[in-house]
Amino acid sequence: MKRNSNQNCSRFKIAASLVLLLLFSGMTAGLQAGENSEFYKWTAPSAEDQLAADQTPVPADAGAIFVPAMTDGDDEPLVLVFRNEEKIASGNTGSRIVVDPGACVVRIGTGAVKQMMTFGVEVAKGETTVVETAWGGLKIEVVDENNIPHRSTYEIIRAEDRELFGIGYGADTLQAEPLGTWLLSPGLYRIVRTGETYRARQDFATVVLPEGGLVHFKLVINPETGEFRGAGVAMPDELGIVDQTVSKWAKSMTVGVAGALNDTSNVVGVPNQTSYSGLAFFDTYLTYTNGPHFGSGIIELEEGFLKIDPEIGEALPTQKTRDRLRTDLLYTRFFKERIGPYARAGFLTNVFAADTLATEDLNIAYNRLDGTRDVVFVPANSNYQTADSFGNLRFREGVGANLRLFRNQHATLNWRLGIGLRQNVFRDLYVQMDDPLTDEIDFFEVDDFNQEGIESTITGNARITRYLSYITDFEVFFDFDDMGEPTIDWRNNLSLRLTRHLSLDYVVDILRFPQVVDTTQTSQSLLLRFSFDLL
């Protein structure tokens, strides 16, 4: 009897252990798959709240399909809807997709169409069919060893069948680039360095995607070599640089220099001389995102110079090659994900006086606003001034509508249209309008003036390749008093990233300002820039 009792006790302990093990396994599985898990929680609201907030109109004779978003619908792959193997609709997660009633096939996920997950649904007239979340989400933050985000690439391979799902890109979230979200079937995935295979024994990491959960993953890559330095699942609050639900502020502060020293001595056909040229710049970007509220602030300062010192004769005066100070503040309250009112303010000016080098003896006539005319003799190889420091100061304010035309991991395009104000303040600014009847070269002082009108601005950026990016800002202002002569200000920057700190930049600024001068003003530079981040 005692032996049987001990056997019964042992069996009871084994059974209890199995029950506890099953309970623990169930709790662990629930932790991994649960939508509200601390480790795998969505950054978007619940599916019920998303559906209630969506205002997409559905006609009375149609129905709709709704696929919940785990993050932001613009940052997730499009949902495709098929009927009889023909695509009949597409749309973002988190928004209703209107279709005719009947049986449909919904394809969801990252990758080619054949790689997307397939769900059969029945759409009823006047009703919205919600697709239950049977996939996993993955947000990968790519950073360097100092936790600074950058644009390095990686590839994702499914372990089950070793199928490649594509190349992923990091995002420079300090420049407001969105971080894309992968939507994949639950399971084990391998993240490898671009160009590697599933059999890679270094520069790889693994991650398990639970059903219905969003995995927050940090991938540390050396931006110059592409080598993996570390990787792993992180808590959402560890992605503070990119996760706007945790850190609503993103900021960047960059300083940089570019320069050249040239010296020639006894070179046939070339004068003996030494020349110095340099450029320094300072950029600060600050963005704030909190639900529908978006704000940004920009300060840009660029200063360049050129100095030539010939062996014979005196050194030429220092020439200014670049002089620009710009600030812009913008606030938008998006009613929907793509449109909302905006308010903006900013100014553009020069910091140093503007001088021009006389290559021969000249007589310069300064025609002032008060009617006086001063004639000044300028000897060859000396400067004459055409604007004082902060002499061309242009204030800009505006209110209107801000529309996100396009946004994904690789490119963004925004359009603003509204009412604008301009205050143009000049200090000893002169423009050349030579009178052929006089022997002197005539310069006329520009008077201050204000403007009210319509402003239209298109801003965009595109990551063409891993190393090549393009930024553009095209602004047109129509003065109510002179609608036929708009002011056009178009700024462009094409940047080729050579190393982490070194880039080759082609900058083109085009300004059409007919109220001051009839000709189009163009400035372009090809710069080898060395820069580093202070924040």
Side-chain angles (χ1 to χ4, degrees):
M1 292 293 294
K2 186 175 180 179
R3 182 179 178 183
N4 291 339
S5 175
N6 289 337
Q7 288 178 343
N8 291 337
C9 183
S10 298
R11 291 169 182 170
F12 174 78
K13 288 180 179 180
I14 293 173
S17 299
L18 289 173
V19 171
L20 289 174
L21 180 60
L22 289 172
L23 287 173
F24 179 77
S25 301
M27 290 172 62
T28 305
L31 177 64
Q32 291 184 346
E35 180 180 337
N36 297 319
S37 165
E38 279 298 311
F39 292 97
Y40 305 112
K41 66 181 181 181
W42 298 4
T43 58
S46 67
E48 294 77 10
D49 291 342
Q50 292 182 47
L51 187 60
D54 181 51
Q55 301 296 318
T56 304
V58 180
D61 59 346
I65 296 170
F66 184 85
V67 179
M70 291 183 170
T71 55
D72 187 320
D74 286 332
D75 299 335
E76 298 182 0
L78 283 176
V79 177
L80 307 180
V81 182
F82 290 80
R83 181 171 289 156
N84 298 326
E85 299 185 356
E86 179 184 355
K87 190 178 79 170
I88 60 173
S90 64
N92 287 343
T93 56
S95 299
R96 287 179 173 86
I97 303 173
V98 178
V99 296
D100 291 332
C104 298
V105 172
V106 180
R107 290 186 177 269
I108 302 168
T110 304
V113 174
K114 66 178 183 179
Q115 294 177 304
M116 301 172 76
M117 294 162 283
T118 301
F119 302 90
V121 299
E122 187 72 31
V123 180
K125 183 188 300 184
E127 295 184 5
T128 297
T129 301
V130 179
V131 180
E132 187 173 349
T133 308
W135 52 90
L138 177 62
K139 287 183 69 172
I140 300 180
E141 178 189 38
V142 177
V143 299
D144 64 12
E145 292 90 335
N146 298 314
N147 205 35
I148 302 299
H150 59 91
R151 303 182 179 95
S152 290
T153 60
Y154 56 88
E155 295 185 11
I156 290 187
I157 302 172
R158 185 165 57 193
E160 178 183 350
D161 52 12
R162 302 183 181 183
E163 182 174 5
L164 174 66
F165 275 80
I167 298 177
Y169 297 85
D172 189 349
T173 53
L174 297 180
Q175 302 294 336
E177 292 182 4
L179 186 65
T181 304
W182 296 77
L183 299 183
L184 302 165
S185 57
L188 177 66
Y189 290 83
R190 177 169 287 213
I191 303 170
V192 301
R193 183 176 176 177
T194 304
E196 290 286 353
T197 67
Y198 181 83
R199 296 184 180 277
R201 292 298 177 261
Q202 58 184 12
D203 294 325
F204 80 93
T206 57
V207 60
V208 175
L209 298 192
E211 181 177 325
L214 172 65
V215 177
H216 307 264
F217 197 86
K218 187 183 288 286
L219 179 60
V220 184
I221 298 179
N222 185 314
E224 296 183 6
T225 65
E227 294 178 351
F228 285 17
R229 310 299 294 175
V233 176
M235 291 288 290
D237 56 4
E238 292 183 61
L239 305 186
I241 292 178
V242 302
D243 192 344
Q244 300 291 352
T245 63
V246 177
S247 178
K248 299 177 176 59
W249 294 93
K251 53 188 178 295
S252 171
M253 184 180 295
T254 305
V255 296
V257 294
L261 169 63
N262 296 290
D263 182 81
T264 56
S265 179
N266 302 322
V267 178
V268 176
V270 179
N272 296 340
Q273 67 180 27
T274 302
S275 65
Y276 315 85
S277 63
L279 174 79
F281 64 91
F282 171 83
D283 298 335
T284 297
Y285 297 90
L286 180 69
T287 62
Y288 173 80
T289 304
N290 186 8
H293 305 282
F294 175 81
S296 66
I298 298 173
I299 300 176
E300 295 178 339
L301 175 64
E302 288 185 286
E303 301 298 334
F305 69 92
L306 171 66
K307 180 75 173 180
I308 299 177
D309 186 6
E311 183 178 283
I312 301 175
E314 296 183 358
L316 298 180
T318 301
Q319 302 299 303
K320 184 175 64 173
T321 59
R322 193 87 174 166
D323 184 12
R324 184 168 179 267
L325 173 61
R326 170 193 171 216
T327 68
D328 262 313
L329 299 174
L330 172 69
Y331 169 76
T332 300
R333 203 285 186 191
F334 288 100
F335 289 138
K336 292 187 176 182
E337 291 184 353
R338 295 183 178 271
I339 189 169
Y342 77 86
R344 58 84 60 105
F347 70 83
L348 179 67
T349 188
N350 61 294
V351 177
F352 299 100
D355 296 317
T356 303
L357 178 67
T359 57
E360 59 182 347
D361 293 346
L362 297 175
N363 287 312
I364 304 296
Y366 292 101
N367 298 273
R368 305 188 186 281
L369 294 172
D370 59 9
T372 60
R373 186 171 186 267
D374 296 334
V375 178
V376 178
F377 173 71
V378 182
N381 297 332
S382 59
N383 284 341
Y384 60 91
Q385 184 172 305
T386 54
D388 204 350
S389 58
F390 301 100
N392 187 359
L393 185 55
R394 298 161 53 200
F395 293 95
R396 298 176 288 191
E397 306 89 24
V399 294
N402 190 359
L403 177 64
R404 288 175 172 167
L405 296 175
F406 184 77
R407 178 190 176 201
N408 65 17
Q409 293 173 255
H410 311 290
T412 63
L413 188 64
N414 297 328
W415 177 41
R416 299 196 304 265
L417 180 65
I419 302 298
L421 303 176
R422 301 291 186 270
Q423 300 86 42
N424 302 285
V425 181
F426 306 110
R427 298 178 58 211
D428 293 331
L429 175 67
Y430 291 86
V431 296
Q432 182 177 347
M433 290 184 289
D434 198 21
D435 187 347
L437 301 179
T438 64
D439 295 332
E440 300 83 13
I441 299 178
D442 283 282
F443 285 81
F444 290 83
E445 187 176 6
V446 180
D447 196 6
D448 300 344
F449 63 95
N450 298 329
Q451 298 172 284
E452 300 84 29
I454 299 174
E455 65 177 16
S456 175
T457 306
I458 293 178
T459 61
N461 65 74
R463 185 171 53 205
I464 302 171
T465 68
R466 174 182 173 184
Y467 301 103
L468 187 63
S469 62
Y470 172 68
I471 299 174
T472 186
D473 191 317
F474 183 74
E475 180 177 311
V476 180
F477 181 80
F478 296 90
D479 192 331
F480 287 141
D481 295 332
D482 191 8
M483 296 291 285
E485 290 287 347
T487 300
I488 300 175
D489 191 353
W490 190 12
R491 300 185 296 274
N492 302 271
N493 188 314
L494 184 65
S495 181
L496 177 63
R497 178 66 62 179
L498 303 177
T499 67
R500 176 182 175 185
H501 299 291
L502 197 64
S503 66
L504 184 65
D505 287 16
Y506 178 53
V507 180
V508 181
D509 295 341
I510 300 173
L511 176 62
R512 173 72 177 168
F513 202 1
Q515 291 78 11
V516 175
V517 62
D518 290 334
T519 55
T520 299
Q521 305 170 55
T522 303
S523 172
Q524 53 184 328
S525 305
L526 183 62
L527 305 169
L528 184 63
R529 286 184 167 182
F530 176 81
S531 63
F532 60 94
D533 297 320
L534 297 179
L535 294 177

